[in-house]
Amino acid sequence: MSTPAMRSDAQDVYRRYLSSVMLHGLASAKACGLGASDLYVLNILELAGAMTPGEIVTRTGLTTGPTTRLIDRLEAAGYVRRVPAPDDRRKVIVEPVGKPAALDETMAPARRRVGDLMRGYTPEQLAVLFDYFERATDAYQEANDELRAAED
Amino acid sequence: MSTPAMRSDAQDVYRRYLSSVMLHGLASAKACGLGASDLYVLNILELAGAMTPGEIVTRTGLTTGPTTRLIDRLEAAGYVRRVPAPDDRRKVIVEPVGKPAALDETMAPARRRVGDLMRGYTPEQLAVLFDYFERATDAYQEANDELRAAED
DNA sequence: CCTAATCTCTTCCTTAGAGAAGAGAAATCT
DNA sequence: AGATTTCTCTTCTCTAAGGAAGAGATTAGG
């Protein structure tokens, strides 16, 4: 099937790029039996590090019931681990466990291709790309905070 | 390949970047009342262009029933439009409508920040970035095809 | 033509995920 | 120490998304 490979303008290129990233992420998650909320929380943990269920509640906007079972699912699937908080024995800390085989495997085709792609760039070009990756990560996180703040 | 301390800092930066993109996408979708599958299909339409419900069925792995209602939701929300296929009166073509206000609005904070970010690069650096965006789009699409093929 | 195949949509059923309310345990405050 | 607050987890209920089977309409084939 023919996708129009015409030269689009920059915004189109970027939108298509974002769509492809989303698409791949969602497809990978589904292939691992993860729902959207599970993936959502997993990404939060990836970005912000270990946190308590209560913090997950405030970040996701879910209530505590579903959150507990979401953590149960993630824990059962081996994506996170519950450890007691040292300072407060009521609390539990949910910490991500190194990406396990299932998710790692579904990511493999993309990782290989992106790896190949990156090997085609010079060190200077790679520096630009990774500078962008780091700054864009912050930008999206800030945008998320803004979104969340706007909803309350 | 096996687990633990791949000290690769770059890989971490990239993973965090991907997480932030996913996170933002999911948060935006949720803010617009879209589910993960809805967003999934919307991204497919964005990338591959208009297609029939049957093609969406094969691409998503859903069955026809949920797909019909998914399209209903997207159409009701103004994201897509159903038009009759010219060559076959049984068929319907689902085509994306220009991103409507709701989704556009939730994307605004991110777009502004990424816009600012990009204005900080030289034309040469931007060329590198957009070269990457285009190639990575293809890479992820191919990876998705590979994933889909592996599941059948 | 009449039959078989294709395509979309409808209906019914099942199940996973989210909300509400509350219990139990532990920390904090007076 | 006693009371209040905080935090996690449990239970019940409800909604919404997904699968299965089939109806209606249209095209293709003998």
Side-chain angles (χ1 to χ4, degrees), chain A residues 5 12-13 19 23 28 37 42 47 51 66-67 72 85 87 96-97 111 114 116 123-124 127 130-131 134:
Chain A
D12 251 26
V13 169
S19 291
L23 197 56
S28 303
S37 294
L42 219 45
L47 283 169
M51 63 182 66
T67 301
D72 289 345
D87 60 319
V97 170
R111 191 169 47 241
V114 172
D116 290 349
E124 292 75 24
F130 274 86
D131 179 76
E134 286 192 333

Side-chain angles (χ1 to χ4, degrees), chain A residues 14 132 136 139-140, chain B residues 109-119:
Chain A
Y14 192 67
Y132 167 78
Y140 280 115
Chain B
R111 192 170 43 242
R112 181 169 55 72
R113 283 187 170 80
V114 172
D116 290 348
L117 171 53
M118 293 213 181
R119 267 186 285 285

